[in-house]
Amino acid sequence: MHPAAKRIARFGMALMAAACAAGLPAPIWASQAYMSAGSKEGQAILFERGGACFALAPTHLIEGSDGFATLVGDGGELTTGRAWQIRDLGFDLSLFGVRGSIESACGGDLPNDAELSSVLAQGSGEVQLRYLFEDGSVARRAAQITDTDGSFIYLSETGDWVISQGHSGSAIVQGDTTIGIMMQLGAEGEAPRALRFDKAVYLVRWEWEGSGEAPQAPSPPAVGVDGIVVERTSALPLGPDDTVEHLVAPLDEAGHWRAKAISWPVDLVLQMPGNEVANVAGLVFHTLHGEAVAHPRTIEVLRTVSAEGERSWSPVTSLTLQPVGGIREITFEPAIRTRRLKIVIYDTWLDDGETVELNRIEVLIAP
């Protein structure tokens, strides 16, 4: 387990022991993450089930983002992750799996919804809206419960702050207990509202256990692997810190690829670990942040099981990558068997006729 996660777990156990000794209900705490999905930003609640990490977030944050999101967690050290297998639970709530280093700070399983209902029945008055920034730092804002019903908690801000778009998905906490997930800002004349946490837990249980069957852990997702080698590229690095090897370096290492095209298109050939044939389920392109950057625009992906030579390439797909900073995933269904991948870059979003730049390329290998 990640050291930060261990510290959180020990702290949580100490809180529970103290509460039980005092005859009080044990605190019900939920791990959180900052989430970016397309052009939208908000928050997600993290939990662990069957050895896998999952998240809950408002559906309106996910829709329109091609079902893809990046997450940044708290817990003492900056961790990142990505969303996969998104399911709409209703009530503007979505459930999805999370993969990446953020899994180390995912927290425990969801609490029992009946236990939460008991806590909420006693709850009233002052609460806090807890949310994360993009760097993993945490903020809290005071609010007041104005009303509750079977599904929602209605709130009003305390002080000179206003609940805004970026607060969607934030945890509503009372003391050491998470009691809601911020959902809607509230139309004119209506109070902002949060989905009750016991309702969210009930929706998850219904999704997984409504058939009466025990929930099954999802099959292991395809994951980025070490050992990918850049065999060659037809572009020259702009400087000593801009070499193509950065493309396949670990995500938490510094560095990027910035290069000058000798001619167009630019070829980039990746070799699978050990130069062995692998089942590749997808590619993840990590772009640089900023506007006038030379991200690849039109690309083609080809594959071959041959260890060398140029005559055996077979086309897989061609597409246009989006210009915004962040990440973009290409999924191959079914996974493709290949020893080498060629990514052909036809142009970039900067369109200066010379430069191409990218942060990382992850090759997702199916189990």
Side-chain angles (χ1 to χ4, degrees):
M1 181 182 288
H2 193 283
K6 288 182 178 179
R7 291 195 296 271
I8 294 171
R10 287 196 296 267
F11 179 65
M13 291 176 66
L15 282 174
M16 293 178 66
C20 291
L24 301 173
I28 302 170
W29 187 256
S31 299
Q32 286 181 253
Y34 163 88
M35 185 174 74
S36 173
S39 62
K40 299 179 181 179
E41 297 177 311
Q43 309 290 311
I45 299 293
L46 304 177
F47 67 96
E48 184 271 339
R49 171 70 63 91
C53 187
F54 294 92
L56 293 169
T59 301
H60 69 261
L61 291 180
I62 294 289
E63 60 187 7
S65 66
D66 296 326
F68 198 67
T70 59
L71 298 97
V72 178
D74 63 350
E77 295 184 25
L78 189 64
T79 55
T80 60
R82 302 184 304 280
W84 60 284
Q85 291 187 355
I86 297 170
R87 309 180 193 181
D88 188 346
L89 303 182
F91 289 84
D92 193 30
L93 185 70
S94 283
L95 166 71
F96 48 90
V98 177
R99 62 187 181 211
S101 61
I102 200 170
E103 295 176 68
S104 62
C106 197
D109 200 350
L110 289 174
N112 182 283
D113 50 317
E115 181 183 4
L116 270 169
S117 298
S118 174
V119 172
L120 277 165
Q122 304 171 26
S124 62
E126 295 182 357
V127 294
Q128 288 187 323
L129 186 144
R130 184 182 189 273
Y131 57 97
L132 275 66
F133 293 105
E134 189 174 4
D135 62 359
S137 58
V138 180
R140 291 172 178 258
R141 295 290 184 268
Q144 188 83 15
I145 295 177
T146 60
D147 197 8
T148 61
D149 58 29
S151 300
F152 295 100
I153 301 169
Y154 299 88
L155 303 167
S156 64
E157 302 91 337
T158 301
D160 57 358
W161 73 286
V162 177
I163 295 175
S164 61
Q165 293 287 348
H167 295 134
S168 292
S170 298
I172 306 301
V173 299
Q174 193 165 50
D176 295 315
T177 295
T178 302
I179 64 170
I181 302 173
M182 193 69 218
M183 284 293 170
Q184 297 181 3
L185 308 183
E188 185 175 352
E190 296 182 359
R193 68 182 189 179
L195 185 68
R196 290 171 52 131
F197 200 30
D198 58 342
K199 183 69 173 185
V201 172
Y202 171 80
L203 292 172
V204 173
R205 289 171 59 87
W206 179 260
E207 173 72 18
W208 277 338
E209 305 174 25
S211 64
E213 299 177 359
Q216 300 294 315
S219 58
V223 295
V225 297
D226 296 329
I228 302 295
V229 175
V230 179
E231 182 180 298
R232 62 177 175 81
T233 180
S234 60
L236 297 175
L238 293 179
D241 297 326
D242 302 321
T243 59
V244 73
E245 287 76 19
H246 289 304
L247 281 179
V248 293
L251 295 176
D252 56 358
E253 287 189 7
H256 46 253
W257 179 49
R258 282 194 174 102
K260 179 178 180 179
I262 301 173
S263 63
W264 295 95
V266 171
D267 288 351
L268 183 67
V269 178
L270 304 180
Q271 190 181 98
M272 299 303 102
N275 201 17
E276 298 290 337
V277 174
N279 293 318
V280 177
L283 297 172
V284 181
F285 294 83
H286 295 253
T287 57
L288 300 170
H289 290 277
E291 293 185 357
V293 289
H295 299 153
R297 178 164 53 184
T298 308
I299 69 167
E300 183 179 12
V301 180
L302 302 97
R303 68 184 176 98
T304 180
V305 293
S306 298
E308 57 184 20
E310 294 299 312
R311 296 188 177 183
S312 58
W313 292 107
S314 299
V316 177
T317 187
S318 58
L319 72 159
T320 299
L321 295 177
Q322 298 303 309
V324 295
I327 59 180
R328 172 67 188 272
E329 183 171 355
I330 303 172
T331 302
F332 305 136
E333 294 182 352
I336 58 173
R337 286 180 56 77
T338 188
R339 192 186 304 268
R340 294 185 295 156
L341 284 172
K342 180 191 286 187
I343 300 168
V344 182
I345 303 170
Y346 288 96
D347 54 13
T348 74
W349 286 99
L350 184 59
D351 201 24
D352 66 351
E354 292 187 351
T355 313
V356 58
E357 53 191 351
L358 199 58
N359 188 5
R360 295 289 189 276
I361 296 178
E362 278 188 281
V363 179
L364 305 181
I365 305 294

